[in-house]
Amino acid sequence: MDSEVPEARVVVGVDGSPSSYAALRWALRYAGLVGGVVEAVAVWELPGLYGWSGPAVDMDVDAEEARDRMRQELTDVLGPAEAASVRSHLVHGNASDVLLRAAEGAEALVVGSRGRGGFARALLGSVSQHVSQHATCPVVIVRADQKPADQK
């Protein structure tokens, strides 16, 4: 019988923060161990879109330009060879919801401990906390690379 085994997917949330870059590197190493592929997901949401007044931002987001910036960011973080092996997705919506949907059936969902927003003293960001409680697959939360105390 010909039955295809689905390929192992490792989904990683990328938002430009140091901890998301650490999560991306972790996901790439893990995918290599399990023979899987990395799917990097960047999420954008227009602030103020659902208020009583019109949005205060340009509704014409240049998706192609954003995809190009994401590919460049992946190359900057991983290098050209590794970045070429990563499947990148730029999705509009709520970050937690998008990541949870993307991770359905995945080997793991990898996120940084804190993203670009949030409070500096928070142990976990709202997205990492939410996905850790609601994902249907294992969740790995990666802290940003820390420099030793003697290297400031």
Side-chain angles (χ1 to χ4, degrees), residues 40-120:
V41 179
V43 182
W44 62 276
E45 186 172 26
L46 296 174
L49 185 60
Y50 302 108
W52 58 269
S53 63
V57 295
D58 185 4
M59 292 294 291
D60 295 324
V61 174
D62 188 342
E64 192 58 39
E65 181 181 326
R67 280 188 203 83
D68 289 344
R69 281 195 316 254
M70 182 179 180
R71 293 301 316 167
Q72 184 58 52
E73 192 171 348
L74 293 175
T75 300
D76 292 346
V77 173
L78 300 174
E82 287 82 7
S85 70
V86 173
R87 297 176 184 167
S88 62
H89 305 283
L90 179 65
V91 183
H92 173 259
N94 173 274
S96 297
D97 294 341
V98 169
L99 289 172
L100 288 170
R101 277 194 313 273
E104 289 176 1
E107 182 78 18
L109 171 59
V110 186
V111 293
S113 60
R114 288 189 316 115
R116 294 180 68 90
F119 298 99

Side-chain angles (χ1 to χ4, degrees), residues 13-31:
V14 183
D15 68 359
S17 67
S19 65
S20 80
Y21 294 157
L24 181 60
R25 289 187 290 270
W26 193 97
L28 193 65
R29 287 189 304 270
Y30 182 71

